[in-house]
Amino acid sequence: MSILKVPSEAEATGLTAEIYAADAHSMGYVPSHTKAMSLNPEAHRIWESLTQAISSSLGLRRYELVTLAAAQAIGSSHCRLAHGKKTLTIIDQEQLLAIARNYREAGLSPEEVAMMDYAVKLSTDAAGMNDDDTQRLRDAGFSDREIADITLAAAARNYFSRALLALAVELDVPPGVSTELQEALLAPLPRRGD
């Protein structure tokens, strides 16, 4: 449980109130991660703009797959659940369950698996990355712009997820995420070869 004192929806004013209202409208509630990160509402708005710029360039499906892989590698339950819910708008629950359990065995394209592997490595061993990692994406058919966007998506998820983890932000379970999907999304990343 975070020690942060965040304004309630009734107490929020100005830009914070606008951010809360946007989440309440789009998601039906204001998640604890929004409340925590809205303690600096200007930074939160810039974060939203950054993720919008990356996802609109990369494409929503690729953005969400990279986000899910990075969040799982980091151990970010907040982002796995929130983006699992968002991903249900573009991927059906059956495939999302398979992706959450082991994306390498979920029937994704080789290109999608390559970008998710890249996001995992960036999230677990960024200092160990080299041109070979980028070359694998290029060999999978990604352009330089797409490689940059994949990198930005995974790095941005590291920023947000690690902030939530560091602040011990309370975990919300988004409405509409089944118990089975929650369990799959919250499971640790399978080791390679499992």
Side-chain angles (χ1 to χ4, degrees), residues 40-107:
N40 182 334
E42 295 81 11
H44 188 71
R45 275 290 157 99
I46 290 169
W47 160 254
E48 290 175 335
S49 294
L50 173 66
T51 58
Q52 178 59 40
I54 297 166
S55 66
S56 64
S57 177
L58 188 56
L60 188 57
R61 180 181 170 93
R62 286 180 172 177
Y63 176 80
E64 291 299 339
L65 290 173
V66 168
T67 294
L68 288 170
Q72 188 175 31
I74 297 164
S76 175
S77 299
H78 300 86
C79 295
R80 288 282 287 176
L81 288 172
H83 285 275
K85 169 72 174 181
K86 288 180 181 182
T87 303
L88 282 173
T89 64
I90 56 172
I91 295 175
D92 67 47
Q93 178 162 311
E94 201 60 38
Q95 184 171 33
L96 185 54
L97 281 165
I99 292 167
R101 290 178 179 135
N102 188 344
Y103 67 84
R104 293 178 190 103
E105 302 295 326

Side-chain angles (χ1 to χ4, degrees), residues 12-176:
T13 61
L15 185 53
T16 301
E18 291 176 29
I19 293 167
Y20 283 17
D23 272 9
H25 176 73
S26 67
M27 295 189 288
Y29 75 111
V30 182
S32 58
H33 63 264
T34 295
K35 291 178 181 176
M37 298 307 272
S38 292
L39 285 169
N40 182 334
E42 295 81 11
H44 188 71
R45 275 290 157 99
I46 290 169
W47 160 254
E48 290 175 335
S49 294
L50 173 66
T51 58
Q52 178 59 40
I54 297 166
S55 66
S56 64
S57 177
L58 188 56
L60 188 57
R61 180 181 170 93
R62 286 180 172 177
Y63 176 80
E64 291 299 339
L65 290 173
V66 168
T67 294
L68 288 170
Q72 188 175 31
I74 297 164
S76 175
S77 299
H78 300 86
C79 295
R80 288 282 287 176
L81 288 172
H83 285 275
K85 169 72 174 181
K86 288 180 181 182
T87 303
L88 282 173
T89 64
I90 56 172
I91 295 175
D92 67 47
Q93 178 162 311
E94 201 60 38
Q95 184 171 33
L96 185 54
L97 281 165
I99 292 167
R101 290 178 179 135
N102 188 344
Y103 67 84
R104 293 178 190 103
E105 302 295 326
L108 296 174
S109 71
E111 297 80 17
E112 290 172 330
V113 171
M115 70 180 189
M116 292 178 81
D117 282 341
Y118 182 91
V120 167
K121 185 165 182 188
L122 183 150
S123 302
T124 58
D125 187 23
M129 295 184 82
N130 57 45
D131 285 344
D132 292 342
D133 299 296
T134 306
Q135 188 62 50
R136 280 191 273 287
L137 290 180
R138 181 169 285 126
D139 291 346
F142 291 105
S143 69
D144 288 349
R145 171 63 184 259
E146 290 167 328
I147 293 168
D149 287 337
I150 291 164
T151 304
L152 289 170
R157 182 55 39 206
N158 272 260
Y159 155 75
F160 199 80
S161 293
R162 291 178 190 280
L164 297 176
L165 291 168
L167 295 171
V169 173
E170 183 179 343
L171 181 63
D172 297 310
V173 176

